[in-house]
Short mmCIF file of all heavy atoms in Angstrom, two decimals:
data_model
loop_
_atom_site.label_atom_id
_atom_site.label_comp_id
_atom_site.label_asym_id
_atom_site.label_seq_id
_atom_site.Cartn_x
_atom_site.Cartn_y
_atom_site.Cartn_z
N ILE A 577 161.64 114.69 158.13
CA ILE A 577 162.23 113.36 158.37
C ILE A 577 161.16 112.30 158.14
O ILE A 577 160.05 112.40 158.67
CB ILE A 577 162.80 113.26 159.79
CG1 ILE A 577 164.05 114.13 159.90
CG2 ILE A 577 163.13 111.81 160.15
CD1 ILE A 577 164.68 114.12 161.27
N LYS A 578 161.53 111.31 157.35
CA LYS A 578 160.67 110.14 157.15
C LYS A 578 161.20 109.00 157.99
O LYS A 578 162.33 108.53 157.81
CB LYS A 578 160.63 109.74 155.68
CG LYS A 578 159.99 108.40 155.42
CD LYS A 578 160.28 107.94 154.00
CE LYS A 578 160.00 106.46 153.85
NZ LYS A 578 160.97 105.60 154.52
N ASN A 579 160.41 108.56 158.95
CA ASN A 579 160.81 107.48 159.85
C ASN A 579 159.56 106.91 160.48
O ASN A 579 158.48 107.51 160.40
CB ASN A 579 161.77 108.01 160.93
CG ASN A 579 162.51 106.89 161.63
OD1 ASN A 579 162.84 105.88 161.02
ND2 ASN A 579 162.78 107.06 162.93
N LYS A 580 159.70 105.76 161.11
CA LYS A 580 158.57 105.19 161.81
C LYS A 580 158.44 105.82 163.20
O LYS A 580 159.43 106.22 163.80
CB LYS A 580 158.73 103.67 161.95
CG LYS A 580 157.46 102.97 162.41
CD LYS A 580 157.60 101.46 162.35
CE LYS A 580 156.31 100.79 162.78
NZ LYS A 580 156.40 99.32 162.76
N ILE A 581 157.22 105.95 163.69
CA ILE A 581 156.97 106.55 164.99
C ILE A 581 156.84 105.47 166.05
O ILE A 581 156.13 104.47 165.85
CB ILE A 581 155.69 107.41 164.96
CG1 ILE A 581 155.93 108.65 164.09
CG2 ILE A 581 155.27 107.83 166.35
CD1 ILE A 581 154.74 109.54 163.96
N GLU A 582 157.53 105.66 167.15
CA GLU A 582 157.42 104.75 168.29
C GLU A 582 156.77 105.48 169.45
O GLU A 582 157.11 106.62 169.75
CB GLU A 582 158.80 104.24 168.72
CG GLU A 582 159.35 103.16 167.81
CD GLU A 582 158.58 101.88 167.87
OE1 GLU A 582 158.02 101.57 168.95
OE2 GLU A 582 158.52 101.17 166.86
N LYS A 583 155.84 104.83 170.12
CA LYS A 583 155.17 105.42 171.27
C LYS A 583 155.88 104.99 172.55
O LYS A 583 156.41 103.89 172.66
CB LYS A 583 153.70 104.98 171.32
CG LYS A 583 152.90 105.46 170.12
CD LYS A 583 151.46 105.00 170.23
CE LYS A 583 150.65 105.48 169.04
NZ LYS A 583 149.23 105.02 169.11
N LYS A 584 155.82 105.88 173.56
CA LYS A 584 156.41 105.55 174.87
C LYS A 584 155.59 104.48 175.56
O LYS A 584 154.37 104.50 175.52
CB LYS A 584 156.46 106.80 175.74
CG LYS A 584 157.41 107.87 175.22
CD LYS A 584 157.48 109.03 176.18
CE LYS A 584 158.43 110.09 175.65
NZ LYS A 584 158.55 111.23 176.59
N THR A 585 156.28 103.56 176.19
CA THR A 585 155.59 102.48 176.92
C THR A 585 156.27 102.27 178.26
O THR A 585 157.45 102.60 178.44
CB THR A 585 155.63 101.17 176.11
OG1 THR A 585 156.99 100.85 175.83
CG2 THR A 585 154.86 101.30 174.80
N ASP A 586 155.57 101.68 179.22
CA ASP A 586 156.18 101.38 180.51
C ASP A 586 156.95 100.08 180.42
O ASP A 586 156.94 99.39 179.41
CB ASP A 586 155.13 101.35 181.63
CG ASP A 586 154.03 100.34 181.35
OD1 ASP A 586 154.31 99.34 180.65
OD2 ASP A 586 152.90 100.55 181.85
N ALA A 587 157.60 99.70 181.51
CA ALA A 587 158.49 98.54 181.49
C ALA A 587 157.74 97.26 181.19
O ALA A 587 158.19 96.42 180.42
CB ALA A 587 159.21 98.44 182.84
N ARG A 588 156.58 97.09 181.81
CA ARG A 588 155.83 95.84 181.62
C ARG A 588 155.36 95.70 180.18
O ARG A 588 155.51 94.65 179.56
CB ARG A 588 154.65 95.82 182.58
CG ARG A 588 153.83 94.55 182.50
CD ARG A 588 152.74 94.56 183.55
NE ARG A 588 151.94 93.35 183.48
CZ ARG A 588 150.90 93.12 184.28
NH1 ARG A 588 150.57 94.01 185.22
NH2 ARG A 588 150.21 92.00 184.15
N GLU A 589 154.82 96.82 179.63
CA GLU A 589 154.36 96.76 178.24
C GLU A 589 155.53 96.54 177.30
O GLU A 589 155.42 95.82 176.31
CB GLU A 589 153.65 98.07 177.89
CG GLU A 589 152.31 98.24 178.60
CD GLU A 589 151.71 99.61 178.32
OE1 GLU A 589 152.46 100.49 177.85
OE2 GLU A 589 150.52 99.79 178.56
N ALA A 590 156.65 97.16 177.63
CA ALA A 590 157.82 97.00 176.77
C ALA A 590 158.30 95.57 176.76
O ALA A 590 158.66 95.02 175.72
CB ALA A 590 158.94 97.92 177.24
#
Side-chain angles (χ1 to χ4, degrees):
I577 289 179
K578 169 193 164 289
N579 196 34
K580 192 172 182 181
I581 292 179
E582 283 292 329
K583 297 180 180 179
K584 294 184 180 181
T585 56
D586 57 28
R588 182 176 180 181
E589 290 175 344

